[in-house]
Amino acid sequence: MKGIRRKLLIICLCIILSTIFSLLRDRITNKDENTKEKQTQSNQVNNYPANNSASDETQSQDEGTKPDENTMPGENTVPGENTVPGENGIPDEENTNTNSDKERSNSPSDNTTTPDKDAENVLNEIPNTREALNQLPAETTLNINEVESKEMDTYFYYEEISEDVFNRIKGKSYGEDCTVPLEDLRYIRVLHYGFDEKTHIGELIVNKAIARDIVDIFKELYELKYPIEKMVLIDAYDADDNTSIADNNTSSFNFRPVPGGSHLSKHALGLAIDINPLYNPFVQYMKKETIILPIEGSQYADRSLDNPYYIRENDVLFKTFTKRGFSWGGFWKTEPDYQHFVKKID
């Protein structure tokens, strides 16, 4: 009897303990779930401003910027690189947020040169071969003060008319009616000092008979720092002589007659050259009127005025040309052409 009671007591104890353990387990489980829920809510509350800020920044970038069409997805590119502030939806620097500024300050773009520095670098990258020089258009400014004598052949030279040059003059200075053989002409590249006191690339087309003289003349003028404002082919003005000289462009070959006449000008043969023509106009004295070309140069027809760009007898330009057999149009009495130098070829 006692054994049965003992067994029943043990069974009751086991049931009681099992019930207690079950209750404790359920309580602990509920507590853990409540704790996790509170943590999740807390994290959501703490993260809300940050997530909202990121959303605003993304929206701002979507509305205020335009992705670079050349940028592939996934590439590590710097936003706004190679773009101009304010163009194509790219925000100006004043409108860029602080975070973007910090990102750019840590990016490789800090080592990228500014446009001003790029321009300065271009000027400093002086070509040292004719081939490289030919890639630069006339009137390119070079950041050099002088050229060593050993480099003169690189910057001062003449050559036969290439296909590229011919395509530039065809139908303009070299029209369909041109009777001058192409092989009689030479393309010239030189340096000259501009009115801005900087070095520029100049170009001319002249007759092959005077090509060597012209190159030597401009070498000397460059060494003397004689100012010439501009020197491009007259074809840049569609071979319109009046437009070219009104722009003070120095030029030579242009297959055309003399002004107001029917016979060919020496420019048509590439044997004449006009220097700083705006300040040294062509003047034709007639009985009833005086014609001045270009018209814009009328105020410079009075040679008694003090002007640093006037060509005068016995100045350095005059001497540089005349000692090589050129004559000056400024000596012509009824039609002085103060811009004009020409060489007679037998």
Side-chain angles (χ1 to χ4, degrees):
M1 190 69 178
K2 291 181 178 180
I4 293 173
R5 288 179 179 178
R6 185 178 294 174
K7 289 181 180 180
L8 290 173
L9 182 60
I10 292 173
I11 290 173
C12 289
L13 289 173
C14 289
I15 291 173
I16 292 171
L17 291 173
S18 177
T19 300
I20 293 172
F21 287 144
S22 179
L23 291 172
L24 290 173
R25 185 176 64 248
D26 291 340
R27 187 172 180 179
I28 292 171
T29 300
N30 291 334
K31 186 177 181 180
D32 291 341
E33 289 177 354
N34 291 335
T35 301
K36 290 179 179 179
E37 183 177 356
K38 289 180 179 180
Q39 290 177 347
T40 300
Q41 291 175 352
S42 177
N43 288 337
Q44 289 175 347
V45 171
N46 292 333
N47 290 334
Y48 177 76
N51 290 338
N52 190 47
S53 176
S55 177
D56 290 343
E57 183 178 352
T58 302
Q59 182 178 4
S60 175
Q61 290 177 352
D62 290 341
E63 294 177 354
T65 62
K66 181 178 179 181
D68 191 346
E69 295 178 354
N70 297 324
T71 302
M72 297 297 292
E75 287 185 339
N76 295 325
T77 58
V78 180
E81 188 174 356
N82 297 328
T83 58
V84 178
E87 291 186 357
N88 300 327
I90 304 301
D92 294 338
E93 291 182 0
E94 294 179 354
N95 298 326
T96 306
N97 59 40
T98 304
N99 291 334
S100 297
D101 288 340
K102 290 180 179 179
E103 289 174 1
R104 279 198 297 271
S105 67
N106 294 325
S107 70
S109 65
D110 278 348
N111 297 324
T112 302
T113 55
T114 64
D116 289 340
K117 290 182 179 179
D118 285 340
E120 184 178 349
N121 289 337
V122 170
L123 295 177
N124 285 329
E125 294 176 359
I126 309 302
N128 54 11
T129 64
R130 289 186 184 180
E131 291 75 14
L133 189 67
N134 276 331
Q135 299 303 312
L136 299 175
E139 287 311 300
T140 296
T141 304
L142 301 181
N143 191 22
I144 54 177
N145 295 322
E146 58 184 16
V147 177
E148 296 182 6
S149 58
K150 64 180 180 181
E151 298 173 332
M152 281 293 187
D153 290 341
T154 299
Y155 299 103
F156 296 83
Y157 63 92
Y158 64 91
E159 60 188 16
E160 294 182 356
I161 306 298
S162 67
E163 182 178 357
D164 289 339
V165 172
F166 179 66
N167 288 334
R168 293 171 58 191
I169 68 176
K170 183 180 180 181
K172 296 179 181 179
S173 63
Y174 198 94
E176 293 181 359
D177 60 340
C178 185
T179 57
V180 179
L182 199 62
E183 55 267 25
D184 284 355
L185 301 176
R186 293 293 181 268
Y187 176 70
I188 287 178
R189 297 274 281 197
V190 297
L191 300 182
H192 70 90
Y193 275 97
F195 285 4
D196 57 3
E197 298 182 352
K198 296 180 180 180
T199 298
H200 300 264
I201 297 174
E203 63 178 355
L204 293 166
I205 291 179
V206 303
N207 193 290
K208 66 179 182 181
I210 65 170
R212 181 75 266 166
D213 287 331
I214 295 298
V215 168
D216 291 341
I217 285 171
F218 280 99
K219 279 183 185 178
E220 188 171 340
L221 293 176
Y222 179 76
E223 291 171 344
L224 294 170
K225 296 186 178 182
Y226 186 89
I228 297 173
E229 185 170 20
K230 184 178 295 186
M231 194 189 309
V232 300
L233 298 187
I234 200 170
D235 306 273
Y237 304 89
D238 288 329
D240 186 310
D241 186 61
N242 288 329
T243 304
S244 175
I245 60 179
D247 198 34
N248 205 31
N249 180 53
T250 294
S251 68
S252 178
F253 173 75
N254 188 15
F255 192 80
R256 63 171 177 81
V258 297
S262 58
H263 64 280
L264 288 177
S265 164
K266 294 300 181 181
H267 287 280
L269 303 176
L271 294 173
I273 183 170
D274 293 336
I275 307 289
N276 290 335
L278 175 64
Y279 298 96
N280 299 280
F282 165 77
V283 182
Q284 185 177 29
Y285 296 107
M286 305 176 68
K287 292 182 179 180
K288 295 183 178 181
E289 62 177 339
T290 298
I291 297 175
I292 300 175
L293 297 175
I295 296 175
E296 294 81 356
S298 297
Q299 59 184 310
Y300 307 114
D302 182 357
R303 308 308 283 182
S304 66
L305 300 178
D306 185 16
N307 190 304
Y309 306 127
Y310 280 0
I311 300 172
R312 302 185 186 278
E313 182 180 2
N314 292 325
D315 67 8
V316 293
L317 181 72
F318 176 90
K319 291 179 179 179
T320 303
F321 272 95
T322 55
K323 72 182 180 181
R324 291 177 172 87
F326 286 80
S327 59
W328 181 41
F331 286 145
W332 302 342
K333 292 185 177 182
T334 59
E335 296 182 350
D337 196 352
Y338 298 107
Q339 63 197 258
H340 186 91
F341 287 91
V342 61
K343 189 171 185 176
K344 184 178 179 181
I345 302 298
D346 296 332

